[in-house]
Amino acid sequence: MKYDLHCHSNCSDGTLTPTELVGRAIEMGVQALAITDHDTINAYHHINPKESPQIKIIPGIEFSSCWGKMNVHIVGLNVQLDSDALKTGVAFQNTARQKRAVMIADKLDQLGFKGALAGTTAIANNGNIGRPHFAQYLVNIGAVSDINQAFKKFLGSGKPGDIKQFWANIPQVVQWIKEAGGTAVLAHPKKYQLTRIKLKHLLDEFIEAGGRGMEVISGRQDAAITKDLAGLCVEKKLLASCGSDFHQPGQAWAELGHIPELPKVCPPVWDYW
Ligand code: AMP
Ligand code: MN
Ligand code: MN
Ligand code: MN
């Protein structure tokens, strides 16, 4: 069974509609898919799993979270979409996202880019406003040449638009997921660029909070990284998850289903559902 347990639709910062996303996943040979939009489950209001019996849809979400001065992402998998705890979490994070959008727009305003909030809201098209939408706005007005430049200059780590403080902390996020009957999985552990000691510290706090899994596979990745993360997963007695983190077609390193297999040493998260 080919699983892809991490991807985005245009309900957050992906480009495909939820229906298109499911269709593409089927084309790519995915047999079990979790749509994990940033801080929203709206994608699930647009699809009917019964209409595509050839693929198993596993309800999911990718929550943003504060860990000290950093942000980390926690994927909730196999959640009950009608859970009150999940609704509470989504509402809290939506408010956080809106507050953050206002603050990012203020920062850009101070840098001379007026009207960023209205412009970016239009680009997000009723979806959750994220930094990629601000990036697209900056490209559209000619402030930068491409999305990458927008992150490098204005929105990425340490830049004015990188506002971190609004998200819920790890225990809170894990609690929402657990109360919704789901499994909390630490997303893309290598993305945080932590030292070994700090990464283990993060995993320990995550486990202490009730986190059960980690992504051993995130998109196309080197075998050495897979081996390393598999070792950590086993050492910390975590369940292993895998996902492409697909956002849009044309990014070969993050295509639906185009991911290495989980190493045999890791217990897959789906064995426990
Ligand atoms: P947000 O959830 O609004 O903080 O936005 C985070 C999202 O921005 C990530 O999930 C990526 O999709 C995207 N992103 C982060 N860094 C970059 C980058 N350097 N270039 C392009 N996209 C990025
Ligand atoms: Mn994203
Ligand atoms: Mn993420
Ligand atoms: Mn993601």
Side-chain angles (χ1 to χ4, degrees):
M1 184 97 159
K2 192 190 245 188
Y3 283 81
D4 188 332
L5 301 178
H6 187 147
C7 66
H8 298 272
S9 77
N10 67 351
C11 293
S12 66
D13 59 1
T15 58
L16 302 187
T17 65
T19 304
E20 289 166 344
L21 188 61
V22 172
R24 190 178 180 93
I26 293 168
E27 269 171 36
M28 295 293 170
V30 175
Q31 293 161 301
L33 180 77
I35 302 175
T36 54
D37 276 312
H38 297 286
D39 303 297
T40 177
I41 51 171
N42 282 345
Y44 295 95
H45 302 150
H46 297 283
I47 55 170
N48 180 359
K50 287 193 188 122
E51 283 170 12
S52 35
Q54 62 274 60
I55 192 167
K56 186 175 160 66
I57 301 291
I58 295 157
I61 186 166
E62 181 176 17
F63 277 122
S64 312
S65 179
C66 282
W67 185 56
K69 288 190 178 139
M70 281 181 56
N71 285 167
V72 295
H73 287 175
I74 297 171
V75 171
L77 294 176
N78 205 23
V79 290
Q80 283 156 17
L81 294 169
D82 59 356
S83 145
D84 286 339
L86 193 64
K87 285 180 194 160
T88 301
V90 165
F92 180 94
Q93 298 285 91
N94 274 344
T95 305
R97 214 166 250 286
Q98 275 155 24
K99 284 188 202 160
R100 188 186 69 149
V102 170
M103 200 181 256
I104 294 174
D106 275 353
K107 298 271 183 186
L108 294 177
D109 192 285
Q110 287 162 29
L111 291 166
F113 307 118
K114 309 286 177 196
L117 190 59
T120 301
T121 304
I123 290 166
N125 192 24
N126 294 325
N128 249 352
I129 296 186
R131 284 180 289 159
H133 302 116
F134 277 99
Q136 187 62 53
Y137 173 76
L138 290 170
V139 172
N140 292 357
I141 63 169
V144 288
S145 53
D146 58 30
I147 301 282
N148 206 22
Q149 284 295 316
F151 273 91
K152 255 192 171 156
K153 283 187 163 166
F154 301 112
L155 300 161
S157 200
K159 301 299 168 188
D162 180 33
I163 313 259
K164 293 187 158 81
Q165 72 265 34
F166 291 112
W167 309 121
N169 62 22
I170 291 178
Q172 177 63 266
V173 168
V174 172
Q175 195 189 337
W176 290 328
I177 294 168
K178 282 180 70 180
E179 282 186 30
T183 308
V185 169
L186 184 73
H188 43 61
K190 287 280 179 188
K191 259 202 183 165
Y192 313 121
Q193 297 185 304
L194 297 168
T195 62
R196 196 70 173 172
I197 289 175
K198 268 206 121 179
L199 178 54
K200 286 189 179 186
H201 184 189
L202 169 60
L203 287 171
D204 288 339
E205 285 198 23
F206 177 64
I207 292 163
E208 172 75 26
R212 292 291 315 280
M214 62 180 266
E215 286 184 345
V216 169
I217 304 288
S218 177
R220 202 170 70 184
Q221 68 186 31
D222 288 348
I225 288 184
T226 304
K227 195 171 172 215
D228 184 37
L229 288 176
L232 258 183
C233 180
V234 169
E235 180 186 331
K236 294 295 177 187
K237 299 189 171 60
L238 284 163
L239 303 172
S241 187
C242 59
S244 59
D245 210 356
F246 173 87
H247 283 71
Q248 62 189 96
Q251 299 185 323
W253 63 93
E255 178 56 80
L256 287 164
H258 288 209
I259 50 175
E261 270 186 40
L262 276 180
K264 296 275 179 287
V265 290
C266 304
V269 67
W270 52 84
D271 275 359
Y272 294 80
W273 293 337

